[in-house]
Amino acid sequence: MSLPPDKASELKQIIHNHLVKINIHGKIRDVLAETVREDLDIGQTSLSERDFLRALQRRGIVDDVMKDLHFFNDVPVAELGLQSTPKPATHFIDNDLTKLKRTNIDPSRRYIYLQVLGGKAFLEHLQEPEVLPGQVCSTFTLYLHFRNQRFRSKPVPCACEPDLQEGFLLEIHREGLGDGSKMADATSMLSISDPVHLVLIKTDTSSETTLVSSYFLDWRTVLSASSGKTGIAVELLGVGTECKVPAGVLNINLELYPPLTEMLSPEIITTQQSLERQKTAEKERLFLVYAKQWWREFLEIRHSHQSKLVKIFAQDENGVNRPVCSYVRVLRAGRLLESPRQAARFVSLLGLERPPMVGGGGAGKHEQWCSLLAFLCRSKGDCEDHATLLCSLLLGFGLDAYVCVGTKPKGVAHTWVMTRGTDGTITFWESLTAHRYLHQAIDPDAAPLVPQPCPKSPYRTIGCVFNHKSFLANCQPSDAVELCVFDFHNQSLWKAMSEDALSSVCSPGSTTSLPPIPPLCGPSLEPSAASNLLELEMRYLVAEHRKDLGLATVWDDHLSYVMSSALAAYELERCTGTSCGNEEFQDAVRRAVPDGHTFKGFPIHFLHRNARRAFATCLRSPFCDEIVCCRGDHVRLAVRVRVFVYPESACAVWVMFACKYRSVL
């Protein structure tokens, strides 16, 4: 299991001090001399390491060392906040703990200890200069997901042979009714086809993330290892247009704990994997045959259907074609998100990035739909990634949600989310901004004088809609959104795919080629500390900027505090769509600004916590520049920063600059 570097050093120092205290070197020398004499007496020519370790154990040296070595005091389970019956880990919290705590291991369950022993052949970084101590550099971070458990390595400098040295304890729990607390045996583990999903992310010096590789590791080879341990060299491939190009190699050790009493033969494991692949291939073949027939029928309805955006398959980051319905799942966020609108706000805080391409892209864009883990680890993706995640979360909140595929103005392809109310209300959700639009269809057959609703959404055409178990293509005479009627039961308006056919390849566990859906992780960021730090950095940058202009800087701490309520109201409005608290803020500002003084304020919103980058953006606004560079009599400045954290450490950063000064005519 991974430890922060400072904790690892502390642990090594504790062990070293203890060994010196009990004079371990003297004891080892005595045992070595005695063992050599005994072995020479019986005519043995050499002494192996195993023989010497056995001699140490026989004389009780190892037991004495372990008996007296204590890393922590015994703490009651209740005080540690641990349950009496251990549960599978569902999320990680990336905090630097101040003291070592027990790992919550259930001896009645079975685990895999996955150890990463470094990387090699990352040739893109062959010419990377050696990193000096304290130097900021690009880093690699490895993320893992296995059966509802997520882990993350510490970042290491990018290199041709990156020093990724981590250990992760993965629990193998059975899923049968009443089997949750039973230890998985060899047969049940052989039937668990869930892979370990490895995602490697590169973070550059400006905190921009890049998806390097996404790999699915079949861990079951350890079931045939004689000692319960096996080593694997995992070749990571690139993503997108480079999905066939090797990115590098990771050396991985797998160890089963406790080990099996009887190992499986490699032939059994190979046969099981082969049967699973054959079963998956047959299901995918049958679905492809059905999809082709369905598409021919759809084209026969109208010739114009050939140009409609009806997307049945989409490529993931590894270049694998998957049905679009497989990208959507019912996803519940537990206590991390409280409402559908908060879920929409969270998704909108994840960055937008088009898939990178080498060379010109031509008229059409290169499309790449990401698996959920790759999207969350990178914290950014295309509009399709945002829409499928938002649809999954809305389904988790019990809404009838669908992903819509269509176009925006100028024919730009786009995806968004739609929900249908029980009263027939249609609401569009823009996953990139969290904006909501109420849809009211225009009746083209109505009399000219009959008032018609005015379109409010930015969407122009719609070709199809889908979720985790439905796929419907728009077969209305016009695919214009403003004319569209969303009566999915009317087969003359929407042509549906067979739910059974979709379920055969899209439902969880239906095929081994579907990536497992990870749970959301709670934020690792402490909002108050992050807000304070960013505010101090902003104050420093403002003071330095004014100093360059020959201006003094005097801060008004009370005015800064007063602006907190405004920033909280802005974020609440983004979450709920309703504004509140503005009256109290205005009243507080009037009291804080004396008569004869002028007040100016400038709020701005960011999705990152880079102070210099944010300040440079602010200065590009003439309103903010006027405040920061304010000249006058009795000038007082204020700045307030609020960082609002969401799952996956997504954050909404609000900054407000203000000044007050005496008005001079």
Side-chain angles (χ1 to χ4, degrees):
M1 291 164 289
S2 60
L3 284 174
D6 56 335
K7 295 300 172 189
S9 301
E10 180 183 341
L11 181 60
K12 291 177 182 176
Q13 189 61 43
I14 292 173
I15 296 173
H16 174 73
N17 293 341
H18 178 69
L19 295 178
V20 171
K21 180 181 176 182
I22 65 173
N23 189 26
I24 189 65
H25 297 96
K27 293 182 179 180
I28 290 176
R29 279 194 297 269
D30 294 341
V31 173
L32 179 59
E34 184 180 343
T35 306
V36 170
R37 283 197 304 271
E38 291 177 358
D39 290 339
L40 290 176
D41 290 343
I42 61 175
Q44 188 170 338
T45 58
S46 64
L47 180 65
S48 67
E49 182 180 344
R50 179 170 298 190
D51 295 333
F52 183 57
L53 287 175
R54 194 180 299 117
L56 288 175
Q57 290 176 332
R58 191 167 59 246
R59 287 161 176 78
I61 303 297
V62 176
D63 292 337
D64 290 343
V65 171
M66 299 307 297
K67 180 176 64 178
D68 298 329
L69 190 59
H70 299 288
F71 298 111
F72 51 79
N73 296 324
D74 287 336
V75 182
V77 170
E79 290 183 23
L80 288 176
L82 302 178
Q83 301 176 0
S84 56
T85 303
K87 300 293 183 184
T90 57
H91 65 279
F92 61 77
I93 298 177
D94 185 23
N95 289 331
D96 289 332
L97 302 180
T98 56
K99 61 179 181 179
L100 296 174
K101 293 185 178 181
R102 278 197 183 94
T103 302
N104 193 20
I105 296 179
D106 185 349
S108 65
R109 294 195 178 191
R110 206 176 293 278
Y111 298 85
I112 297 174
Y113 183 54
L114 187 151
Q115 197 172 9
V116 183
L117 301 176
K120 59 184 180 182
F122 285 82
L123 301 181
E124 187 176 336
H125 302 277
L126 187 60
Q127 304 298 327
E128 203 82 24
E130 186 176 351
V131 180
L132 301 175
Q135 181 183 354
V136 178
C137 63
S138 300
T139 59
F140 282 140
T141 307
L142 184 66
Y143 295 81
L144 276 77
H145 170 232
F146 178 67
R147 295 176 70 79
N148 232 28
Q149 304 160 78
R150 288 181 61 184
F151 303 89
R152 185 179 76 180
S153 73
K154 63 178 181 293
V156 301
C158 293
C160 183
E161 297 185 355
D163 189 29
L164 279 165
Q165 304 283 341
E166 293 284 352
F168 308 97
L169 194 65
L170 315 178
E171 181 181 341
I172 306 171
H173 47 278
R174 298 175 61 176
E175 292 184 326
L177 188 62
D179 290 342
S181 60
K182 294 181 181 178
M183 182 180 291
D185 55 17
T187 305
S188 61
M189 286 191 290
L190 182 62
S191 65
I192 297 175
S193 59
D194 294 346
V196 179
H197 192 180
L198 308 173
V199 170
L200 186 64
I201 298 291
K202 176 186 175 181
T203 307
D204 65 17
T205 52
S206 60
S207 301
E208 290 295 321
T209 55
T210 306
L211 177 62
V212 177
S213 183
S214 174
Y215 185 85
F216 297 94
L217 172 66
D218 194 331
W219 52 273
R220 290 175 292 181
T221 53
V222 75
L223 301 179
S224 63
S226 57
S227 59
K229 301 179 184 179
T230 185
I232 307 172
V234 173
E235 184 183 43
L236 302 179
L237 298 177
V239 295
T241 55
E242 300 178 12
C243 62
K244 305 298 183 185
V245 181
V249 176
L250 286 182
N251 294 318
I252 291 178
N253 271 4
L254 296 175
E255 180 178 356
L256 205 58
Y257 174 81
L260 292 171
T261 53
E262 292 186 13
M263 298 296 168
L264 298 177
S265 68
E267 291 77 17
I268 292 178
I269 297 173
T270 304
T271 302
Q272 174 70 16
Q273 294 170 336
S274 177
L275 288 173
E276 290 171 354
R277 285 193 294 268
Q278 291 173 14
K279 185 178 178 182
T280 294
E282 180 63 14
K283 285 185 176 182
E284 291 175 345
R285 186 190 68 81
L286 291 174
F287 179 76
L288 182 60
V289 170
Y290 167 76
K292 287 181 177 179
Q293 176 62 31
W294 181 92
W295 177 246
R296 282 193 294 268
E297 294 172 358
F298 179 70
L299 293 181
E300 289 172 0
I301 298 174
R302 284 187 184 86
H303 182 70
S304 61
H305 285 181
Q306 183 73 46
S307 61
K308 284 193 176 182
L309 278 176
V310 179
K311 193 164 189 62
I312 305 173
F313 296 93
Q315 274 193 359
D316 65 10
E317 68 267 24
N318 291 326
V320 177
N321 273 310
R322 290 164 43 197
V324 292
C325 294
S326 68
Y327 289 88
V328 180
R329 289 281 188 275
V330 178
L331 182 60
R332 298 181 179 89
R335 303 284 184 182
L336 299 177
L337 295 170
E338 302 295 340
S339 68
R341 296 194 185 189
Q342 193 180 33
R345 175 61 173 158
F346 156 63
V347 175
S348 71
L349 294 175
L350 300 173
L352 173 66
E353 182 182 74
R354 308 293 181 190
M357 288 188 67
V358 178
K365 70 166 188 172
H366 170 64
E367 203 172 76
Q368 174 187 303
W369 296 35
C370 277
S371 61
L372 181 54
L373 183 66
F375 177 39
L376 294 176
C377 294
R378 193 171 46 146
S379 295
K380 59 185 177 183
D382 210 340
C383 58
E384 295 86 3
D385 304 320
H386 289 78
T388 52
L389 174 57
L390 178 57
C391 183
S392 299
L393 289 168
L394 296 183
L395 288 168
F397 278 108
L399 300 183
D400 188 21
Y402 300 82
V403 175
C404 303
V405 179
T407 63
K408 291 197 298 185
K410 298 182 180 178
V412 178
H414 191 62
T415 57
W416 66 96
V417 179
M418 177 198 75
T419 53
R420 296 196 310 158
T422 53
D423 58 353
T425 304
I426 302 298
T427 305
F428 293 146
W429 302 64
E430 177 48 63
S431 58
L432 299 179
T433 62
H435 291 165
R436 301 165 67 251
Y437 307 95
L438 191 64
H439 171 72
Q440 292 177 306
I442 294 175
D443 184 2
D445 300 324
L449 297 180
V450 174
Q452 297 276 18
C454 180
K456 299 176 181 178
S457 73
Y459 314 120
R460 293 295 174 263
T461 65
I462 183 167
C464 64
V465 300
F466 65 89
N467 60 17
H468 62 304
K469 59 181 181 181
S470 302
F471 185 94
L472 302 108
N474 183 5
C475 53
Q476 298 171 57
S478 171
D479 59 358
V481 171
E482 58 191 21
L483 302 176
C484 192
V485 177
F486 291 93
D487 180 7
F488 293 158
H489 298 292
N490 189 335
Q491 297 182 9
S492 64
L493 302 179
W494 295 90
K495 180 171 176 59
M497 272 192 168
S498 163
E499 289 194 6
D500 291 338
L502 290 169
S503 177
S504 68
V505 290
C506 296
S507 62
S510 58
T511 65
T512 56
S513 61
L514 291 182
I517 298 297
L520 294 183
C521 290
S524 61
L525 205 60
E526 207 289 305
S528 298
S531 301
N532 289 337
L533 177 62
L534 191 53
E535 186 171 311
L536 287 173
E537 292 175 339
M538 282 295 185
R539 283 197 175 202
Y540 172 79
L541 293 172
V542 170
E544 288 296 304
H545 186 72
R546 288 177 61 84
K547 184 178 178 181
D548 292 341
L549 299 174
L551 300 173
T553 304
V554 182
W555 296 104
D556 187 332
D557 292 334
H558 175 66
L559 185 58
S560 296
Y561 180 74
V562 162
M563 294 190 296
S564 292
S565 61
L567 300 184
Y570 298 151
E571 182 61 21
L572 184 64
E573 184 177 4
R574 291 290 180 98
C575 273
T576 64
T578 57
S579 178
C580 63
N582 192 43
E583 299 82 2
E584 293 87 347
F585 170 64
Q586 291 182 357
D587 186 65
V589 169
R590 291 190 188 100
R591 292 176 180 278
V593 179
D595 291 339
H597 283 63
T598 299
F599 170 82
K600 293 181 179 179
F602 175 78
I604 189 168
H605 173 253
F606 297 100
L607 301 183
H608 61 83
R609 293 179 290 115
N610 188 313
R612 291 189 179 276
R613 197 166 125 207
F615 187 62
T617 303
C618 293
L619 290 181
R620 285 199 287 270
S621 166
F623 301 105
C624 183
D625 185 68
E626 185 180 340
I627 292 171
V628 172
C629 305
C630 180
R631 298 172 182 264
D633 184 24
H634 205 70
V635 175
R636 296 292 181 268
L637 295 170
V639 62
R640 193 64 170 173
V641 175
R642 285 291 305 273
V643 177
F644 298 89
V645 297
Y646 288 83
E648 301 295 329
S649 294
C651 59
V653 178
W654 285 95
V655 182
M656 190 169 187
F657 296 93
C659 68
K660 65 178 183 180
Y661 57 93
R662 182 177 291 139
S663 302
V664 179
L665 297 176

